[in-house]
Amino acid sequence: MGAILAGSLASVIVPVSVSASDVPEVGVPNDLPGPGPYVFVTAEQPEIAATVIAGELSNLYALAFLPGGDALLVERGKRVRLLRGATGATPVLEEQALSGVPEYGDMPGIDPFDVLGVQDIEPDPDFASNGIVYLTYNRPVGFDEERSRITASYVLAKARLSGLGLTDLTELVVSEPEVAIGGSRVIVGPGGMLFAAFGGLSEGDIQSAQQLSNIYGKVLRVRTDGSIPDDNPFVGKEGARAEIWTYGHRDPLGLSFDPRSGRLVASEHGPQGGDELNELLPGRNYGWPTSTYGTEYAGSPLPAHPILPDTQAPLQIWSPGIAPNGIAFYTGAAFPGWENNLFVASARRGQINGTGALIRVVFNDQLQEMRQEILLDALHQRFKDVQQGPDGLLYAVTDEAEAHVIRIAPVSASAQAADNPEE
């Protein structure tokens, strides 16, 4: 972890006055010409092939594997789909979505920037015997008359998957209702602990990320029954929510454990640039919105002192930004030389649509970056999540109106693909 640097509050630029929605969108064409396989030459591997194994999906946000090779796919805010045999030769997408998943898409008065419904899903380590999954969703609560917007709460919940439906849905953590809440992730950690990351507010009181009385801009740690561990850093602190593990986050949209050290890391969206990878240390303040390496969406000078006193510095930053989302450390045997590398699903680079990729980051055993490689950028997709399958291959999903599930595998000398978009 980098050093904590001192700086003056007066010299820090807080990029909050212009939102991303106020800046015109630009980009390049992103239509896939077919299912592939698309072949790429990469570092530390001979060649890899990217093959579309499922389509006819919408704005995929999360991918979670079940024992045996099936996979759950979250179409953000809408539904959860089951991809049978995702690791097999002929995956089959169930036409019927899972029942019992919270869904609010037909509510009147939804603003285009309101994010309601299901966000993430994660099976319990003992799913094969108990069928338990954990999920996050945004549940509407009321209506703010002054702002003419729906208010909603973040929810961390558990349920049981049976057939094509969720039953016994139990809400474990619920946030205070607010307008313009964002994204979330959940991961199961050692000792049966759940870590759930919730984005900060994009409108209104964005300083709430610095306040311990709410869960906006926080990563939480609770047991799988929702109870709070006694060693959480803010247990017993007056006015603080005891579920909080870390605070001062903007949009922590990826969680993964380093297989060598067990350290928990998170990807985090900055504003314009200043995207981060953070090690999540208990009780630490990660600075948003008073500390950032980013700038305003409409342009502004870089902050002179992006890390203030008592603020935890990131492991690394990306500038230009890469819009980092789901992340996964690779522990399989299919890609020799990629062991313990971190894969980051990138939605776009430098605010240009159609420039998404998978980013491969090589660390030393101190989680210090040695090098990184951009993969699959020639597909021009907005990547949202990446996971290692039980077969040791990599799988990624795209956040597009016509979204896809993509399998990444080594290419054998006897099975070269003819369709190659690489320039």
Side-chain angles (χ1 to χ4, degrees):
M1 179 62 64
I4 298 178
L5 306 176
S8 165
L9 271 172
S11 60
V12 174
I13 295 168
V14 182
V16 297
S17 61
V18 179
S19 71
S21 61
D22 296 323
V23 179
E25 293 285 313
V26 298
V28 299
N30 65 346
D31 292 336
L32 283 176
Y38 302 99
V39 175
F40 299 87
V41 177
T42 68
E44 295 163 273
Q45 286 295 314
E47 291 178 318
I48 60 170
T51 305
V52 175
I53 61 168
E56 299 182 358
L57 292 150
S58 172
N59 298 106
L60 288 171
Y61 186 82
L63 163 70
F65 279 99
L66 302 176
D70 290 350
L72 298 175
L73 306 172
V74 174
E75 295 177 289
R76 188 184 189 190
K78 300 171 184 172
R79 60 190 71 88
V80 179
R81 306 284 292 277
L82 178 64
L83 182 61
R84 295 197 183 276
T87 59
T90 55
V92 176
L93 181 66
E94 285 284 352
E95 184 175 348
Q96 176 186 340
L98 297 190
S99 62
V101 175
E103 198 276 316
Y104 312 104
D106 58 353
M107 284 193 59
I110 296 178
D111 186 274
F113 295 101
D114 287 334
V115 181
L116 301 178
V118 64
Q119 303 288 302
D120 199 15
I121 196 163
E122 178 80 1
D124 187 86
D126 295 323
F127 175 88
S129 59
N130 63 26
I132 296 295
V133 296
Y134 306 97
L135 65 157
T136 62
Y137 52 93
N138 296 351
R139 172 165 55 79
V141 175
F143 193 78
D144 186 314
E145 296 288 350
E146 182 178 342
R147 300 168 68 180
S148 297
R149 292 280 295 276
I150 286 173
T151 60
S153 289
Y154 285 132
V155 179
L156 169 65
K158 68 186 298 184
R160 192 178 307 277
L161 177 60
S162 178
L164 287 177
L166 297 184
T167 62
D168 305 325
L169 183 72
T170 303
E171 295 188 344
L172 305 178
V173 179
V174 180
S175 77
E176 306 74 14
E178 290 285 357
V179 169
I181 70 176
S184 54
R185 291 286 187 188
V186 60
I187 191 172
V188 185
M193 296 293 177
L194 295 179
F195 291 84
F198 295 104
L201 295 175
S202 59
E203 302 176 24
D205 184 15
I206 68 167
Q207 291 290 338
S208 58
Q210 288 292 311
Q211 299 158 5
L212 298 177
S213 58
N214 64 79
I215 66 170
Y216 292 98
K218 315 296 193 302
V219 176
L220 312 183
R221 176 181 180 249
V222 298
R223 297 188 183 94
T224 54
D225 63 358
S227 61
I228 300 169
D230 294 336
D231 59 347
N232 269 15
F234 299 108
V235 168
K237 182 178 176 62
E238 185 177 357
R241 291 202 55 159
E243 305 100 323
I244 295 173
W245 185 249
T246 58
Y247 67 105
H249 298 284
R250 185 174 184 268
D251 272 316
L253 296 184
L255 296 170
S256 189
F257 286 93
D258 171 30
R260 290 180 287 188
S261 66
R263 296 153 75 179
L264 177 60
V265 300
S267 62
E268 182 167 338
H269 281 235
Q272 166 100 318
D275 295 336
E276 299 177 355
L277 189 72
N278 289 300
E279 180 184 2
L280 300 181
L281 299 170
R284 299 294 178 89
N285 177 6
Y286 290 80
W288 179 258
T290 54
S291 296
T292 177
Y293 283 89
T295 64
E296 296 200 20
Y297 286 102
S300 63
L302 285 169
H305 300 286
I307 303 298
L308 297 180
D310 302 319
T311 300
Q312 186 66 38
L315 287 172
Q316 68 179 80
I317 66 165
W318 286 278
S319 189
I322 63 166
N325 296 292
I327 60 176
F329 281 96
Y330 183 71
T331 60
F335 299 100
W338 283 3
E339 298 92 342
N340 303 314
N341 292 182
L342 180 70
F343 289 82
V344 182
S346 163
R348 62 181 184 175
R349 185 175 181 85
Q351 303 300 114
I352 305 295
N353 292 327
T355 58
L358 291 186
I359 311 296
R360 182 177 69 92
V361 186
V362 182
F363 295 105
N364 62 19
D365 58 8
Q366 300 300 310
L367 270 182
Q368 297 167 330
E369 179 198 347
M370 298 169 62
R371 56 189 174 275
Q372 59 181 285
E373 180 179 20
I374 300 173
L375 303 171
L376 311 192
D377 54 318
L379 299 181
H380 300 292
Q381 295 294 292
R382 182 179 173 87
F383 287 94
K384 202 67 176 181
D385 198 12
V386 58
Q387 297 289 337
Q388 178 181 317
D391 55 358
L393 302 181
L394 288 167
Y395 293 79
V397 298
T398 67
D399 177 16
E400 305 281 1
E402 295 183 11
H404 302 89
V405 183
I406 298 174
R407 177 190 291 155
I408 300 103
V411 173
S412 68
S414 60
Q416 297 295 325
D419 208 352
N420 186 347
E422 192 172 35
E423 297 176 359

